[in-house]
Amino acid sequence: MSSRFIFPNFNKSILNISATLAEFLNCPNNNATLPILKEELKKNYKNVVFIIFDGLGINPININLKDDSFMKSNIKEVLTSVFPSTTANATTTMLTNKYPMEHGWFGWSLYFDELKVAVDVFPGVNSHTKEPVDQSYKTNIIPTEPFYKYANTDYTISKVVPIYWTDGEDLNKYVASDIDDYFSLTKAICEKEGKQFVYLYCPEPDHMMHEYGVLSLESKITINYLNLKLKELYDSVEDTLFIITADHGQVDVSDYIELYKDEKLLSLLSWPVFLESRAPAFKIKEGCNDKFIKLFNEKYSEDFELFETKDLINQKVFGPIDNLDKAYLLADYIAISKNNKIMLLGELAHRHKGHHGSLTEEMLVPLILISKR
């Protein structure tokens, strides 16, 4: 097993932020809470602002922010993401306060045997042709509910999100079109009468790092602009606690493996390859397991470590729960990148310059706490 692998710690992860906030808002919660955040929330702030910057893990922070920057200097703890360390899985974990094995949004691409197709679950398109598919899976197979739906609190709960964000609730939903919008909308909410709780999800800097890489000037400018806008927001409000984290980090991609061209390996599969380019999943034809393992390891073991899915489940990598109703969505084997390479799962796959999904540096994210009275 790669010494670089960082497995989820479900006592000190992004899930535990949501568990702590669920308890704070008097929502149902059976998950472990974070003592440092729990203590801070006892101080009865007028405003509590929870911010998720997509992709802004420890690796991009260390590369792009100075040690004395507003965000980096206020990191209180380093947490783990979930596996696969990807937006579909991680943001759903935080939104629902549920383990991946409970909500089932394991990766960007899932194969639904009910539909006989691999689906990019957020946009609802065929993973390999990019054509629209029936999106009934969102309610019938992997339904979600935000944890704050069941809040019993004197805080008014609002969310500031991109236009494509859907969580089944449109009450107090503020749609942002760019980075400036996220902060101006949040400022306006914080200035309202009464106690305000804000759930903010911003898709940057993930988009910028995918396009240009973690080390790029474009990503550095974006991350430093987020840092600047956060400081400006902090300066403009009173009696507010800011809780900032990321769903995952990113690493720069070093090379691309064109898995979709490997006809010999693909002939052993009963489903198309799916899940993530740094953590692809495989469903094997009956009687072909040994042949698949041998062939995969001969070709790809230098860069990817192959795991039986049942072993990862037994190790509680997807959550320490006994209900495995969603386990079939993970198929038989998952290959995990040991370095910075990615596998292209289809001819139309993006050749991202920065990526995530594995168990390396992208697993580490910050817990940033900044308060103002």
Side-chain angles (χ1 to χ4, degrees):
M1 186 179 297
S2 173
S3 60
R4 291 181 64 190
F5 284 169
I6 302 164
F7 286 91
N9 176 353
F10 288 116
N11 289 308
K12 204 171 182 181
S13 75
I14 56 174
L15 172 82
N16 306 110
I17 300 177
S18 295
T20 310
L21 292 173
E23 184 179 274
F24 171 68
L25 295 170
N26 290 312
C27 308
N29 175 57
N30 295 313
N31 299 323
T33 56
L34 295 172
I36 188 171
L37 177 55
K38 192 170 180 176
E39 285 302 307
E40 195 64 33
L41 287 165
K42 289 179 180 178
K43 296 179 182 179
N44 197 32
Y45 293 94
K46 175 188 177 295
N47 304 311
V48 175
V49 180
F50 178 36
I51 300 176
I52 302 165
F53 289 130
D54 198 320
L56 192 60
I58 293 297
N59 188 50
I61 285 175
N62 285 341
I63 289 171
N64 291 292
L65 287 179
K66 294 180 179 179
D67 288 346
D68 62 353
S69 65
F70 191 57
M71 280 200 280
K72 189 173 183 180
S73 64
N74 282 290
I75 295 175
K76 306 303 181 187
E77 286 189 352
V78 175
L79 308 176
T80 69
S81 184
V82 289
F83 176 75
S85 50
T86 187
T87 301
N89 192 15
T91 59
T92 305
T93 295
M94 285 190 279
L95 179 69
T96 62
N97 185 30
K98 290 183 177 180
Y99 297 104
M101 187 56 74
E102 291 179 286
H103 61 67
W105 288 68
F106 295 109
W108 179 257
S109 171
L110 291 179
Y111 184 87
F112 297 108
D113 202 28
E114 299 88 341
L115 303 177
K116 304 301 180 187
V117 68
V119 179
D120 292 351
V121 289
F122 272 159
V125 298
N126 184 304
S127 297
H128 296 279
T129 68
K130 306 307 176 185
E131 295 173 347
V133 301
D134 176 6
Q135 296 193 39
S136 61
Y137 62 87
K138 292 183 179 179
T139 53
N140 296 338
I141 305 174
I142 48 173
T144 60
E145 282 186 325
F147 72 82
Y148 47 74
K149 179 178 180 179
Y150 300 100
N152 180 16
T153 179
D154 54 354
Y155 281 83
T156 298
I157 299 173
S158 302
K159 51 187 170 288
V160 181
V161 293
I163 191 167
Y164 54 81
W165 179 280
T166 59
D167 62 4
E169 297 286 330
D170 288 324
L171 185 65
N172 298 325
K173 177 179 178 180
Y174 298 80
V175 175
S177 59
D178 57 27
I179 287 176
D180 289 350
D181 263 1
Y182 285 97
F183 292 95
S184 61
L185 289 169
T186 301
K187 180 177 184 292
I189 295 168
C190 288
E191 290 174 343
K192 290 185 175 184
E193 292 291 324
K195 292 183 174 181
Q196 306 294 328
F197 177 86
V198 181
Y199 189 108
L200 187 159
Y201 165 76
C202 175
E204 293 293 359
D206 187 71
H207 173 263
M208 195 65 66
M209 294 188 295
H210 276 312
E211 190 74 18
Y212 298 101
V214 181
L215 286 163
S216 68
L217 177 61
E218 290 87 350
S219 294
K220 183 177 286 290
I221 290 171
T222 300
I223 291 169
N224 278 273
Y225 191 64
L226 291 170
N227 182 73
L228 172 66
K229 297 302 292 185
L230 181 66
K231 179 62 165 64
E232 289 179 355
L233 176 60
Y234 169 85
D235 288 339
S236 70
V237 299
E238 300 295 333
D239 200 6
T240 301
L241 172 64
F242 294 95
I243 305 159
I244 301 105
T245 193
D247 51 349
H248 54 72
Q250 272 207 34
V251 297
D252 275 334
V253 175
S254 61
D255 200 4
Y256 307 93
I257 299 171
E258 295 177 321
L259 187 69
Y260 69 92
K261 292 184 177 180
D262 190 339
E263 295 180 4
K264 190 173 181 180
L265 186 79
L266 299 182
S267 71
L268 303 175
L269 308 182
S270 56
W271 293 356
V273 187
F274 68 101
L275 201 62
E276 286 289 330
S277 58
R278 287 178 56 72
F282 306 90
K283 182 72 171 178
I284 314 302
K285 289 179 179 176
E286 188 173 350
C288 293
N289 282 40
D290 291 344
K291 191 180 295 185
F292 168 78
I293 294 169
K294 183 176 184 294
L295 185 58
F296 184 93
N297 285 331
E298 284 175 354
K299 291 189 171 185
Y300 306 115
S301 61
E302 183 178 338
D303 301 309
F304 281 75
E305 186 164 348
L306 189 64
F307 290 85
E308 277 199 72
T309 302
K310 66 181 182 181
D311 290 338
L312 295 174
I313 292 171
N314 290 338
Q315 293 170 30
K316 309 300 183 185
V317 172
F318 305 104
I321 63 171
D322 296 324
N323 186 341
L324 303 182
D325 287 350
K326 303 290 196 305
Y328 77 99
L329 292 169
L330 290 167
D332 300 320
Y333 294 89
I334 297 175
I336 303 176
S337 178
K338 298 190 285 188
N339 47 42
N340 285 17
K341 294 183 182 181
I342 70 172
M343 285 183 165
L344 302 179
L345 309 188
E347 190 174 358
L348 299 179
H350 295 294
R351 292 176 179 262
H352 292 301
K353 292 185 178 178
H355 219 336
H356 49 82
S358 182
L359 288 169
T360 63
E361 291 89 339
E362 65 262 57
M363 281 293 294
L364 298 178
V365 301
L367 173 64
I368 299 169
L369 300 178
I370 308 172
S371 60
K372 185 178 184 183
R373 285 238 106 117

